[in-house]
Amino acid sequence: MIYAGVFAFGAVALLIEARRNYRESLKQEPFQRHPILHNARVDDLCTPRDGFVGFIIYSLLYLVSYVVILSSAELFDLIRNVNMAKAQVGATTSFDPFAGDVLNLEGTVYAKPIFVSAFLIAIMSVGAMRPIENSVRSAAHRLAGIPRGVYRVIDALQTPAFQALTSRRSGPLLSHFRQLMKAQCPDQDIHDLAGHQHDIEVALGAIDVLSPAVTPHKRAKYFPASELDMLTEMAGKLQIEMDGLRSDLMTFVPSDRSLEDLQEKANTAANNVKALFAVHYIRNNRSVKNLDPGSPLHRSVAVIDRNYNPEQNSIAMAAFLSVILAFFTTFYLYYDWHKRTVTIYPVVATKDVTTAATAAGIDVTAQRCIAVYDTRRLRYSDEPPPPPLDPAVTDEEVKSCMPVIEAAQSSYILSIRTDLVREAFWETLQGALITLLAVTSVAFGREVRLEQESWKRGWSLARMPFLRLFGLCLLPSILAVVGSVGGELAELANEAGPMNLTSTQIVDLFQTNFLHFALMLGVGFVLSFCTLIILDKHDDFYNEITVLFLGVPSALACVSIFGLVTFVTYTFAAPELPDGGISYVLRDILIMSAVPTIFMITFAIFIEITEEQRLGKDGMPEHQWLVQRILFGEAKEKALP
Amino acid sequence: MKGRFLATCCALTIALVVQATAQGAPRTAAKDPKSISQCILGNPQARLRVGVRHHARPFSYHSSTLNEVLTAATPGPLAASNYTGYVVKICDAVLNEMRIGSETMAPLQSNDVSILDIDCAQSASLGEAGSRFRFINGSEKPLIDVLCDPATITNDRRTGMMISAPIYLTGVSYITPKNMQRPRVPSDDGHCPSFLPPGSDKIFYLFGMVGNTTAAGDGVRAVLDADELPNDRDALIEFLKETDKCSGAATTAALETGIQGRGPVRFFRTHAEAARAFCNQEIYYYVGDREIITANAASVPGCDFDNGTRTFTTDRYAIFGRIDYNEKDRALLVARFFEVLSQKIVSHPSILDQAFYDTFHPTRPTDALDFFFRSVRGAP
């Protein structure tokens, strides 16, 4: 009870620190690249509710770290005590003479929560840990919807697809500019040697399409959920800037100098429009309301939506499918093993043959059928040969026993079916925890770094940035260990019954499986490394190539690493069945690697299926399936809207 | 000066006795005993009769080699008879000091002390039934005055006896064979004895413990209360209910071979037997006082085990004595024994530290035992 109080005290201290850090982060000005968003602080761009949700998530991440570190410390203490006790004699009763001294908190049990809490506060304040703290905060912001994804939307508005869209549809500013240029400079190539005119057209096209949605009068129509004071103020500023640009255009006289000035103004205005639009779009739950179908704005939103990466969905779908398929695979492997075993296992037969013989009511005794079974059954290689059958038993009697024996075998298989389902569930759960923790964390880490613009995906397989990939795979590898431990603990807790897990059982679990858990570091590394390669490189290949040369090798790597795990940890003589089927060790390798293996293949497939069609150099979509390309040649299909 | 001379003489005498006994007199009293008289070393009517154990390692046991017996301390009458162990060393130190005598009491002579090997006596004429305390406090004529074995202080044992201050702190624990999965018996899931491996004639019990010890009842209950073995909870409850529904072939075979057991539990007469059965994988959980089960299992060559690192009860060992006021000389000697014992416990260095060092070195005491020693002697 007192320990719970100290634990709560440590948690509250952490929450206070988390709140201080978080409030500081809200005062930052995150959008320095776009003039209109200067001086816009994070808390200006989100509602109090969003800020609160962000804080809850941020503090939860603190608390999760607190719980994980504290339980690891307690676990370490438990295991250390047991190991020390091996070299000690006497009672092992926990003996703390100061435990009752609550006011002074001198008992050793009280120290850990306070220490862990202080450690976390201290470590998060160190400069070297700032990137991690930033990542955690960024994660909280993302999850709370606080506009950290603005850059991604702005990037989508700078793609060739968006430019193609805006250049084909002339809005008022672009039309005016083109007419002006056509009237005054029929030989426009002379003036556009420096590319000014093209740049101005691109900028004006973007302004024409996006600005109606963010001007003070209309933005409430498109973005009803983003009524923030700061956004209103920004929209006002943008309106003034637009008015200035418009009046400049009215009085525009083309010359090299004026084109250069106009280009600068148009670009600044376009960037501001895009930035403000992006903020509105994010604040409006990544949507624009009341769009007219077929309007340029509608198609722009389609471009942004299409730019929304398919990676998260692919991971989710692959995870879902792999867990289901792995469950059935595991169940089948167990079922098949036991079905083969039942032809050998003597004790089961003794019991079930007796029951089946009684149920059949045939005129041979159960003992006689057991003797027949024992003579006929397959035997392990180290078993003695079967005893000779009593010569008094006739062939008819032997024949009449066969249905009884088959019924007994079926009855045994039916009776253990529930156990097999349960076992398959726990195996799948552990595989799923390992895979999902490793994969989602590495994908999330990559997302954060992409958003911070510190991740380049354009590397080549020939010159793999191993260190960068390795660095990102470290945490997921550790999380795979946590997942494995969590899965085993959950199974143990379930076996022990609710709240009945004893410290000896936990210690025994760790002592027995220590090597297995440690090797999960390697499994986590393989999983996260392969995931990163598929995420970064799938764009470079045709779909089949991605699946065959990235997905399948990744799956094989998973099987291999589990093969290594069994090779190292299976120190006992695994039972082999004499029927030539898959061995015990291979069965376990397949069971352990079921989820990650299926995940890797399905992930590679889904990420290619869900991906948007790529545009060629000419801005037209190109085939992504090699088969399609071989059959139909270079594609010039329908253009993007 | 006179005292030092006497002590030197005593030491020389004892050394000669040790030498003589090591060469000549039969020391294997526990082997095929015919009667209790064969379990008594010395004069049965000696002034002070001490009870020791043959198989209660590491507290009170008979050693076939002097390596485990002789230490830096002067050997006493118990060491001279190859008895040793933590409790025996304490008793021996007290008996040695009694040989010096005091101003008001004559020194104890060599033939004033007799030794009863309790394990030998248990199997001699009284069979398996009854507690070893009947030798000191039974309805029959008592055979010992001081009991030097790992005896736990309980409320039942406080009447009619003299109890020393606690001398050791331990508890019930269990060990399991290393690298062996708990065997699953599909037919009854360990509630009854079975043949393991199937088809063999090796009778397997899930639990093994020495009968008539604290472990048998309270120990099982403590393990059960801690919910330490949830898979075997039902089997343990059946055992505690004292209902034995087993009637299979293995049960019949066990009865025929004279194995004592009830439900999933097999009882042994001595820890040596239990340890041998454990190391032969005839039992899976070997339950008993922590040091006793680990020391006995470790004494079997090649016997590796897991667990045994946690105690589920807290038991205090003490030395028990009996004062019969009708026999004044004997009563005085017993009183003198406990007088010297109490002096040697609280003096510095304490006899507890010396006995612990001699018995368990280089193993360290657990925190609880260390604090217990500090509390008993009242100094760090």
Side-chain angles (χ1 to χ4, degrees):
Chain A
M1 192 66 187
I2 297 165
Y3 184 82
V6 178
F7 175 81
F9 180 79
V12 168
L14 264 184
L15 283 179
I16 292 168
E17 169 66 7
R19 181 171 165 75
R20 190 187 67 77
N21 256 350
Y22 188 76
R23 284 173 70 87
E24 209 171 274
S25 79
L26 290 182
K27 293 192 176 83
Q28 290 177 350
E29 294 164 5
F31 304 111
Q32 296 293 341
R33 282 196 308 186
H34 301 276
I36 197 161
L37 298 181
H38 278 181
N39 304 324
R41 302 190 325 186
V42 174
D43 56 356
D44 291 328
L45 298 170
C46 67
T47 59
R49 179 185 159 276
D50 290 339
F52 184 69
V53 172
F55 169 67
I56 295 285
I57 296 166
Y58 184 64
S59 50
L60 264 180
L61 293 172
Y62 260 88
L63 291 180
V64 166
S65 312
Y66 175 61
V67 170
V68 168
I69 295 177
L70 187 58
S71 29
S72 304
E74 294 288 2
L75 214 54
F76 173 76
D77 205 28
L78 193 68
I79 293 167
R80 187 184 65 100
N81 284 345
V82 166
N83 283 325
M84 279 177 64
K86 281 182 180 169
Q88 292 175 335
V89 290
T92 60
T93 328
S94 159
F95 201 85
D96 187 349
F98 302 109
D101 195 353
V102 184
L103 287 178
N104 287 332
L105 293 177
E106 282 184 346
T108 51
V109 291
Y110 307 134
K112 254 177 265 158
I114 306 294
F115 176 78
V116 170
S117 175
F119 169 78
L120 272 174
I121 291 171
I123 201 82
M124 285 299 194
S125 310
V126 176
M129 295 298 287
R130 192 50 65 184
I132 293 177
E133 202 271 336
N134 272 340
S135 302
V136 171
R137 194 168 352 100
S138 171
H141 283 171
R142 278 176 60 86
L143 293 171
I146 294 172
R148 293 289 298 175
V150 168
Y151 287 132
R152 175 158 289 174
V153 179
I154 294 173
D155 287 345
L157 294 175
Q158 281 163 346
T159 55
F162 182 71
Q163 285 180 13
L165 166 73
T166 52
S167 63
R168 284 201 300 275
R169 304 274 176 158
S170 293
L173 294 181
L174 183 57
S175 304
H176 180 77
F177 178 71
R178 279 178 173 162
Q179 280 173 10
L180 201 70
M181 291 300 289
K182 203 172 180 180
Q184 299 193 16
C185 306
D187 192 7
Q188 57 178 293
D189 287 345
I190 297 168
H191 295 284
D192 202 28
L193 283 177
H196 296 319
Q197 189 179 338
H198 176 259
D199 285 356
I200 293 169
E201 285 186 359
V202 168
L204 291 179
I207 294 169
D208 278 340
V209 171
L210 298 178
S211 64
V214 287
T215 51
H217 304 300
K218 286 191 177 175
R219 71 187 187 92
K221 173 188 171 190
Y222 295 112
F223 299 111
S226 46
E227 278 303 322
L228 285 174
D229 288 346
M230 181 53 76
L231 291 183
T232 311
E233 188 187 323
M234 286 176 191
K237 274 189 200 169
L238 184 71
Q239 183 67 47
I240 294 167
E241 195 176 351
M242 298 296 303
D243 291 343
L245 182 66
R246 201 167 284 124
S247 65
D248 283 355
L249 264 178
M250 293 301 147
T251 57
F252 182 70
V253 178
S255 71
D256 283 348
R257 176 78 185 171
S258 63
L259 270 173
E260 200 176 328
D261 288 347
L262 185 65
Q263 182 200 12
E264 195 180 328
K265 279 185 182 173
N267 272 342
T268 309
N271 280 341
N272 284 342
V273 167
K274 285 175 185 173
L276 196 54
F277 182 85
V279 173
H280 276 84
Y281 179 74
I282 294 284
R283 291 291 308 121
N284 210 47
N285 296 326
R286 293 179 184 271
S287 64
V288 184
K289 308 290 181 199
N290 304 318
L291 282 171
D292 299 327
S295 67
L297 194 56
H298 183 251
R299 295 181 181 205
S300 304
V301 172
V303 168
I304 297 169
D305 284 345
R306 203 162 42 226
N307 199 51
Y308 187 78
N309 66 53
E311 291 148 5
Q312 290 158 358
N313 278 322
S314 301
I315 288 177
M317 284 192 290
F320 181 72
L321 196 64
S322 61
V323 166
I324 290 176
L325 290 179
F327 173 77
F328 286 114
T329 308
T330 308
F331 174 78
Y332 175 75
L333 286 168
Y334 275 131
Y335 182 80
D336 178 60
W337 179 265
H338 283 273
K339 207 171 174 186
R340 288 162 58 204
T341 311
V342 77
T343 59
I344 303 174
Y345 200 28
V347 177
V348 172
T350 308
K351 184 185 173 195
D352 288 298
V353 170
T354 311
T355 316
T358 313
I362 57 170
D363 58 353
V364 286
T365 63
Q367 280 73 20
R368 188 164 294 166
C369 282
I370 290 168
V372 170
Y373 173 81
D374 199 30
T375 317
R376 298 291 174 93
R377 71 181 172 83
L378 287 171
R379 305 188 102 70
Y380 291 112
S381 51
D382 56 347
E383 262 192 290
L389 196 61
D390 184 357
V393 180
T394 63
D395 287 347
E396 283 72 27
E397 284 173 333
V398 170
K399 204 178 279 178
S400 65
C401 272
M402 298 320 286
V404 172
I405 291 168
E406 281 165 19
Q409 290 173 347
S410 305
S411 146
Y412 171 71
I413 287 292
L414 282 174
S415 70
I416 62 167
R417 214 163 42 179
T418 321
D419 292 339
L420 298 185
V421 169
R422 196 179 300 124
E423 199 54 41
F425 169 78
W426 290 112
E427 291 290 346
T428 311
L429 177 74
Q430 196 183 148
L433 282 175
I434 293 169
T435 309
L436 292 186
L437 280 176
V439 167
T440 51
S441 59
V442 83
F444 185 75
R446 179 177 168 276
E447 282 282 304
V448 170
R449 290 193 61 175
L450 274 176
E451 218 160 78
Q452 291 170 346
E453 302 195 327
S454 62
W455 187 264
K456 307 287 178 227
R457 54 200 299 178
W459 48 273
S460 78
L461 280 172
R463 300 181 68 188
M464 186 183 282
F466 182 77
L467 283 178
R468 186 148 51 90
L469 297 175
F470 182 84
L472 202 56
C473 291
L474 281 181
L475 186 65
S477 306
I478 296 168
L479 285 177
V481 178
V482 173
S484 179
V485 171
E488 287 283 356
L489 273 177
E491 185 177 359
L492 188 68
N494 177 65
E495 277 180 8
M499 305 302 286
N500 278 344
L501 199 57
T502 65
S503 55
T504 307
Q505 286 170 311
I506 295 172
V507 169
D508 196 41
L509 177 80
F510 279 91
Q511 285 182 335
T512 314
N513 298 310
F514 176 77
L515 201 53
H516 177 85
F517 292 147
L519 287 168
M520 287 305 119
L521 269 178
V523 172
F525 181 77
V526 168
L527 272 167
S528 46
F529 200 84
C530 292
T531 306
L532 273 185
I533 292 179
I534 294 177
L535 281 172
D536 274 357
K537 300 320 296 172
H538 72 98
D539 271 345
D540 295 5
F541 304 113
Y542 289 110
N543 295 354
E544 296 95 325
I545 306 291
T546 302
V547 175
L548 288 176
F549 291 94
L550 294 182
V552 173
S554 300
L556 289 177
C558 292
V559 176
S560 308
I561 190 80
F562 276 106
L564 179 71
V565 170
T566 52
F567 179 76
V568 175
T569 56
Y570 279 37
T571 50
F572 55 90
E576 301 299 335
L577 301 187
D579 59 359
I582 63 165
S583 68
Y584 184 86
V585 175
L586 181 60
R587 182 201 75 169
D588 281 9
I589 292 173
L590 293 177
I591 286 172
M592 281 191 277
S593 61
V595 178
T597 308
I598 299 172
F599 175 85
M600 280 300 163
I601 295 173
T602 48
F603 176 53
I605 294 172
F606 279 129
I607 201 165
E608 291 294 20
I609 289 176
T610 55
E611 193 183 35
E612 280 303 323
Q613 213 164 16
R614 280 195 297 267
L615 296 179
K617 287 175 186 169
D618 52 0
M620 301 301 281
E622 61 181 17
H623 286 313
Q624 286 168 233
W625 292 93
L626 187 59
V627 176
Q628 223 177 1
R629 197 175 174 103
I630 291 168
L631 291 177
F632 305 111
E634 294 287 333
K636 291 284 182 275
E637 292 182 334
K638 61 177 182 180
L640 281 174
Chain B
M1 191 67 190
K2 187 183 172 188
R4 187 175 293 174
F5 175 73
L6 277 173
T8 311
C9 289
C10 280
L12 283 171
T13 313
I14 291 161
L16 287 171
V17 169
V18 168
Q19 185 71 17
T21 51
Q23 288 172 354
R27 293 291 143 224
T28 52
K31 282 185 183 171
D32 193 23
K34 302 294 181 194
S35 66
I36 289 182
S37 62
Q38 283 183 289
C39 303
I40 299 172
L41 298 173
N43 177 13
Q45 301 305 317
R47 293 172 64 202
L48 186 65
R49 298 164 300 181
V50 180
V52 292
R53 299 283 293 279
H54 203 89
H55 294 300
R57 272 176 191 271
F59 295 102
S60 178
Y61 63 100
H62 183 268
S63 171
S64 55
T65 64
L66 287 176
N67 288 346
E68 295 174 303
V69 178
L70 294 179
T71 61
T74 308
L78 303 178
S81 301
N82 278 30
Y83 286 96
T84 187
Y86 176 80
V87 182
V88 167
K89 284 179 194 298
I90 293 172
C91 288
D92 224 17
V94 173
L95 292 172
N96 254 348
E97 188 150 324
M98 287 173 72
R99 286 176 168 192
I100 298 171
S102 69
E103 290 176 0
T104 54
M105 182 170 274
L108 198 65
Q109 301 301 316
S110 296
N111 59 356
D112 287 342
V113 179
S114 69
I115 302 166
L116 174 69
D117 188 315
I118 291 172
D119 288 325
C120 166
Q122 287 268 58
S123 61
S125 58
L126 296 175
E128 304 294 333
S131 151
R132 62 188 186 279
F133 276 81
R134 68 180 183 276
F135 295 117
I136 191 171
N137 196 26
S139 55
E140 298 166 25
K141 188 172 167 40
L143 295 175
I144 55 175
D145 304 307
V146 176
L147 178 62
C148 291
D149 85 338
T152 307
I153 300 173
T154 64
N155 282 351
D156 295 341
R157 291 172 180 172
R158 67 186 170 181
T159 50
M161 282 189 283
M162 178 172 268
I163 309 173
S164 72
I167 57 170
Y168 197 82
L169 201 65
T170 185
V172 168
S173 185
Y174 69 85
I175 54 176
T176 53
K178 199 175 184 67
N179 298 328
M180 177 186 169
Q181 295 288 317
R182 176 206 181 281
R184 294 279 162 198
V185 188
S187 54
D188 57 21
D189 203 21
H191 284 66
C192 292
S194 57
F195 290 115
L196 271 184
S200 73
D201 57 354
K202 191 197 275 184
I203 302 167
F204 174 82
Y205 281 80
L206 207 51
F207 295 89
M209 55 188 75
V210 173
N212 301 324
T213 64
T214 316
D218 296 345
V220 168
R221 189 177 291 277
V223 174
L224 191 66
D225 289 346
D227 211 4
E228 187 62 23
L229 308 169
N231 291 332
D232 304 311
R233 185 180 165 77
D234 293 344
L236 287 173
I237 290 173
E238 285 296 315
F239 165 74
L240 287 176
K241 281 180 179 171
E242 301 190 6
T243 52
D244 192 352
K245 298 172 184 168
C246 298
S247 59
T251 310
T252 313
L255 281 173
E256 286 170 359
T257 49
I259 289 176
Q260 299 284 317
R262 192 174 77 228
V265 181
R266 177 175 169 182
F267 296 114
F268 295 91
R269 200 168 47 82
T270 65
H271 278 286
E273 284 177 19
R276 274 196 300 275
F278 170 76
C279 299
N280 197 27
Q281 298 188 343
E282 291 170 28
I283 54 174
Y284 187 69
Y285 299 108
Y286 177 16
V287 184
D289 287 355
R290 184 172 172 235
E291 288 76 10
I292 297 179
I293 56 173
T294 52
N296 278 279
S299 71
V300 179
C303 185
D304 291 333
F305 54 86
D306 279 327
N307 290 307
T309 51
R310 184 184 166 197
T311 50
F312 299 97
T313 57
T314 304
D315 297 327
R316 301 155 299 156
Y317 288 161
I319 295 171
F320 286 73
R322 176 181 173 276
I323 291 186
D324 184 349
Y325 293 102
N326 295 321
E327 297 180 67
K328 288 199 170 49
D329 181 52
R330 195 183 297 279
L332 275 174
L333 272 178
V334 173
R336 172 70 180 155
F337 181 92
F338 281 92
E339 179 193 9
V340 175
L341 175 64
S342 61
Q343 289 166 354
K344 290 182 87 66
I345 285 176
V346 297
S347 60
H348 188 77
S350 169
I351 183 64
L352 301 185
D353 297 323
Q354 192 61 47
F356 185 90
Y357 183 89
D358 288 346
T359 309
F360 296 109
H361 180 75
T363 313
R364 282 170 35 78
T366 57
D367 288 347
L369 183 60
D370 190 34
F371 202 81
F372 164 77
F373 281 148
R374 290 177 189 217
S375 306
V376 169
R377 65 180 174 246

